[in-house]
Amino acid sequence: MERVIPTSSRLVVGGTHRVPGDKSITHRALLFGALARGTSMIGGALPSLDARSTARVLRALGADISPLRPDATVRVVGDRRLKATATTLHCGNSGTTVRLLLGLLAAHRFSTRLTGDSSLRRRPMRRVTGPLMAMGAKVAESATDGLPLTIIGGRLRSIDWQMPVPSAQIKSAVLLAGMAGEVPVSLREPAASRDHTERMLRHFGYDVRATPGRVDFEPTGRLEPFEMQVPGDPSSAAFLLAATLLADSGEVRLSGVGCNASRLGFLEVLRRMGGTVAVEGVESPFGEPIGTLTTSAASLRAVAVTPDEVPAMIDEIPILACLAARAEGVSTFRGLAELRVKESDRLALLAENLRKVGVEAEAQGDDLHVTGTDAPLRGRVRTAGDHRIAMAFTVLGQGRGSRITVDDPECAAVSFPGFRETLAGLRVRGGR
Ligand code: S3P
C-alpha cells in the first residue's frame, strides 16, 4: 500500500516513555498484601479505577491500604484473615477484582455480597463460582449468571478442575481459594493463560507445578509482608507501540515494561504484520521479567491469528484489529469467543465500530475479518464504557486526515490513567 504523505502533516514520534503499572499484578499484590500479617510496600502500583476497586473492597474487608496515586508507593497493612462486612462490595468495572476476591472469600466463614457496574453485572460468574462450590463454598446465585451474588465461605476441600475456557481469572480464583483454605488444588486448562498468580505463590514458598495444560498447587507456603515494584503494563504498552507503528516516522522506546511471555503474544503478531519490536535489557528482580520495548513506524501487512494464540494476547485483540484496519490485505482473527464476555462484547463492538469509521469488517461466529485501507477514517465510536475499545480507536484515529471521535474517552482510566497525555507525548513534531 503506497502512502503519499504531505511533509507538512507527517506524524513523527520519538523518545523514551513509561507506561503505568501492570493491572493484573497490582490486583494480585493488593490481595496478597491484605492477607499477609504486617506491612507490605508496593511500588509502581497502577492507580487506575480497576485497581482502586480492589483497594476499596479490601479496605471494607479490614485491610489498611494507602491511596493509589501516580508514583506513590502503596502501603498495605494486612492480617491473615479478611473481616466480615455487612456492606455490599462494589467492584466497579473490574472482573479481576470480583473473580479473584471470590476465591479468597470462599475460604472465609462469613457471607459477602458483591456487585459491580452494569457491564460487570452482566459478566459470567458461574465459571468461577462453579469450582468454588465444588470446593465447598456456598453461593446464593442471582437469577442470571452475573452479579450481584452472595458467597458464603467455609472449610474447603481439594479439587481437580477442568476449566471450560483458558482464563487466568478462573485459575487464580481457585488457586487463591486453595491458598486461603490451605487445600491442594489442580487445574486443567485448554490453553495457557497469564501466570502472575503462580509466580507470586511460588515467591511465598507455595509448591506450584505448571506443566502444559495443567497447574498443581500444594499449600506448603505462607504469606509474609513483602516489598515489590510492579512492572509497566504490557497491555497498556501495546497501545503506544501501535501508535508508533502507525506513525509516518520515528522510533519509540518503552522502558520498565513487564515481559512475561504469557502476556507478550501480541509482539509476535506485530512482527508478522511487518513491525520490528526489540525486547532488551530483561531482568526479573521480583519474579516477573521487566525490559525495554522499542519499535518504529512501519508499513503493515495483514495477519492471520489462530485460536491457540489468543490467550496470550487476550486484551490486545482490540488494538491488533485496529492495526489490521491499516494493514495491506484481509486480516483474520479466529477463536475470539471470550471477547464476547469482556467489559463489552468486544467482538461485535470491534466489527461495528470499524465499519462506522469506514473499514470493512465482519464478525462471523467467533472470528473477525478486517480489510485494511489507507483512506482517512471518520466516524463516532461507541465504546459501551470499554476502556480498550476507547484506546484502540483513539490510536487508530491518529492517522492523517482521520477524524474519529470516541463517545466515552474517560473510560481509558479503568486501566491507563493519563492515556491521552501519554499518547500525545509520543509526538515529537508535525501534526495535522
Ligand atoms: C486478567 C485475565 C484476563 C484479562 C483481564 C485480566 C487477570 O481475563 O482479560 O483483563 O488479571 O487475571 P481471562 O483470563 O479471564 O480471560
Side-chain angles (χ1 to χ4, degrees):
M1 201 161 20
E2 195 64 29
R3 294 208 234 169
V4 184
I5 307 154
T7 341
S8 59
S9 64
R10 286 166 60 84
L11 173 57
V12 185
V13 293
T16 300
H17 304 267
R18 293 190 82 90
V19 289
D22 189 283
K23 182 156 80 72
S24 293
I25 296 176
T26 299
H27 286 302
R28 287 158 173 80
L30 293 170
L31 292 164
F32 280 112
L35 280 184
R37 178 171 292 153
T39 304
S40 297
M41 301 299 279
I42 307 167
L46 173 69
S48 81
L49 297 180
D50 267 11
R52 287 184 174 144
S53 288
T54 292
R56 185 178 59 247
V57 298
L58 287 173
R59 286 186 196 111
L61 291 163
D64 180 2
I65 303 179
S66 65
L68 271 61
R69 296 204 183 101
D71 302 320
T73 293
V74 176
R75 194 196 71 246
V76 182
V77 184
D79 206 342
R80 293 211 186 285
R81 307 301 289 171
L82 300 172
K83 294 185 180 60
T85 176
T87 47
T88 297
L89 299 181
H90 201 298
C91 301
N93 191 243
S94 179
T96 310
T97 303
V98 65
R99 293 191 177 124
L100 270 54
L101 195 62
L102 280 169
L104 291 181
L105 290 171
H108 286 77
R109 288 165 194 244
F110 51 75
S111 77
T112 313
R113 188 164 183 272
L114 297 143
T115 192
D117 70 8
S118 59
S119 152
L120 187 57
R121 287 201 301 273
R122 280 194 300 268
R123 295 180 66 185
M125 294 298 148
R126 284 190 191 135
R127 49 178 56 198
V128 170
T129 55
L132 297 178
M133 288 167 81
M135 291 176 79
K138 293 189 178 60
V139 174
E141 295 256 0
S142 67
T144 65
D145 183 8
L147 296 174
L149 63 75
T150 298
I151 181 156
I152 304 119
R155 181 187 290 277
L156 300 183
R157 51 186 171 265
S158 174
I159 54 162
D160 184 342
W161 191 258
Q162 171 70 57
M163 290 165 49
V165 289
S167 162
Q169 294 179 349
I170 305 175
K171 180 176 62 176
S172 299
V174 175
L175 288 170
L176 292 178
M179 178 192 78
E182 297 182 58
V183 290
V185 294
S186 292
L187 290 146
R188 281 163 286 132
E189 196 173 25
S193 57
R194 65 191 66 186
D195 65 353
H196 304 301
T197 305
E198 294 90 308
R199 285 171 188 256
M200 284 195 181
L201 286 169
R202 283 189 202 108
H203 173 83
F204 292 110
Y206 290 96
D207 182 8
V208 187
R209 269 157 296 137
T211 46
R214 196 176 172 95
V215 179
D216 295 288
F217 165 88
E218 295 283 340
T220 49
R222 183 183 166 94
L223 289 190
E224 298 292 349
F226 57 93
E227 281 184 24
M228 72 175 291
Q229 185 69 28
V230 177
D233 197 322
S235 298
S236 298
F239 295 104
L240 305 183
L241 295 175
T244 304
L245 287 163
L246 291 179
D248 297 310
S249 69
E251 181 183 274
V252 165
R253 287 160 63 81
L254 303 175
S255 61
V257 181
C259 290
N260 180 319
S262 66
R263 300 286 299 281
L264 292 188
F266 72 98
L267 291 188
E268 166 57 21
V269 174
L270 295 183
R271 290 182 186 124
R272 294 211 299 267
M273 295 180 86
T276 316
V277 188
V279 182
E280 289 160 319
V282 178
E283 288 176 24
S284 303
F286 300 92
E288 285 280 355
I290 303 178
T292 299
L293 307 182
T294 306
T295 194
S296 44
S299 287
L300 301 178
R301 54 179 176 268
V303 73
V305 172
T306 55
D308 56 303
E309 293 185 298
V310 172
M313 59 187 83
I314 186 75
D315 292 336
E316 287 67 65
I317 300 293
I319 187 61
L320 290 173
C322 284
L323 283 178
R326 285 310 201 191
E328 184 169 14
V330 182
S331 293
T332 306
F333 300 84
R334 294 197 191 279
L336 302 184
E338 277 299 292
L339 259 69
R340 294 201 184 273
V341 289
K342 292 293 177 190
E343 287 82 332
S344 67
D345 177 345
R346 285 187 179 156
L347 178 49
L349 213 50
L350 278 170
E352 172 190 321
N353 284 319
L354 284 168
R355 284 197 298 267
K356 268 191 184 162
V357 301
V359 179
E360 238 181 87
E362 205 186 340
Q364 266 179 347
D366 295 337
D367 303 339
L368 177 67
H369 305 276
V370 182
T371 305
T373 172
D374 58 2
L377 303 176
R378 297 190 179 173
R380 185 170 169 80
V381 163
R382 183 173 72 88
T383 60
D386 186 327
H387 55 130
R388 299 201 197 278
I389 296 287
M391 291 189 279
F393 281 90
T394 302
V395 168
L396 183 58
Q398 291 242 304
R400 286 148 293 112
S402 293
R403 216 168 299 131
I404 294 179
T405 53
V406 167
D407 68 0
D408 181 10
E410 301 307 321
C411 69
V414 161
S415 63
F416 195 155
F419 166 68
R420 272 185 170 270
E421 296 72 20
T422 308
L423 184 64
L426 300 186
R427 191 181 286 248
V428 291
R429 63 191 157 85
R432 298 213 176 129

